[in-house]
Amino acid sequence: MTHKVDFKNVSMEGVESSPVAAALAGLRANEARYFKNKYDQDFIVIPVSESQDTLDWISKILKEERDIVIASKPLETASLLVEGIKWVFVFYESGLSINVLYTLDNPKKRAVGFKLSEGMEVPKELETKFKFARQKSKLAGIIRGSFFVIKKEY
């Protein structure tokens, strides 16, 4: 069942099983605020059980580009198409959020981003491949993030 993420009244609906559920819900709300403020778009999340194709697409990019397989259980996805950019998100039980920014008309502006919820450890599959920068968020606390550029077509 889909639901719109409310960034004013942060809810843990859909991510309750995470050991860092409050921080992950804040991270998800932070994304919702960004899309509402920048693009006037609602941020709708879908349980992975109803969006396996979205998870498969991101998993394929991770595997083919960097040989990464995420060990944590995926909980929800979100997908938006805004101004010629396909934005796709997966939120994992560990507190990890992965997003793909995929411009439809410019192959040089495509990337995968990783965000770690406050309180979670860097996942083993990412710790030797990336350095994480910190940023503060009123909704999510301290977010650690990293990214890589996508080279192939998906």
Side-chain angles (χ1 to χ4, degrees), residues 38-39 41 80-87 103-105:
K38 182 157 176 111
Y39 301 112
Q41 294 284 316
L80 299 98
L81 182 57
V82 184
E83 297 181 4
I85 303 169
K86 181 178 180 179
W87 295 85
T103 54
L104 300 179
D105 61 353

Side-chain angles (χ1 to χ4, degrees), residues 7-120:
F7 58 89
K8 292 181 180 163
N9 300 303
V10 179
S11 166
M12 290 188 282
E13 179 184 349
V15 296
E16 307 91 343
S17 65
S18 172
V20 291
L24 181 56
L27 180 59
R28 187 179 62 182
N30 190 59
E31 301 291 3
R33 179 178 57 197
Y34 173 80
F35 282 97
K36 191 64 172 174
N37 290 342
K38 182 157 176 111
Y39 301 112
D40 196 27
Q41 294 284 316
D42 290 330
F43 196 80
I44 309 295
V45 290
I46 306 165
V48 167
S49 61
E50 298 172 24
S51 57
Q52 187 64 45
D53 55 335
T54 302
L55 176 64
D56 292 346
W57 186 72
I58 286 183
S59 297
K60 179 179 180 176
I61 292 171
L62 292 172
K63 181 68 175 159
E64 290 185 11
E65 294 280 332
R66 295 292 178 103
D67 197 29
I68 296 170
V69 176
I70 302 300
S72 181
K73 178 183 174 183
L75 300 175
E76 295 179 324
T77 68
S79 191
L80 299 98
L81 182 57
V82 184
E83 297 181 4
I85 303 169
K86 181 178 180 179
W87 295 85
V88 181
F89 294 80
V90 179
F91 298 95
Y92 292 87
E93 192 169 53
S94 65
L96 173 67
S97 168
I98 297 178
N99 71 286
V100 174
L101 176 157
Y102 197 87
T103 54
L104 300 179
D105 61 353
N106 186 351
K108 294 185 187 234
K109 289 192 175 185
R110 296 176 178 165
V112 173
F114 302 97
K115 291 184 180 172
L116 309 178
S117 295
E118 189 167 16
M120 74 171 286

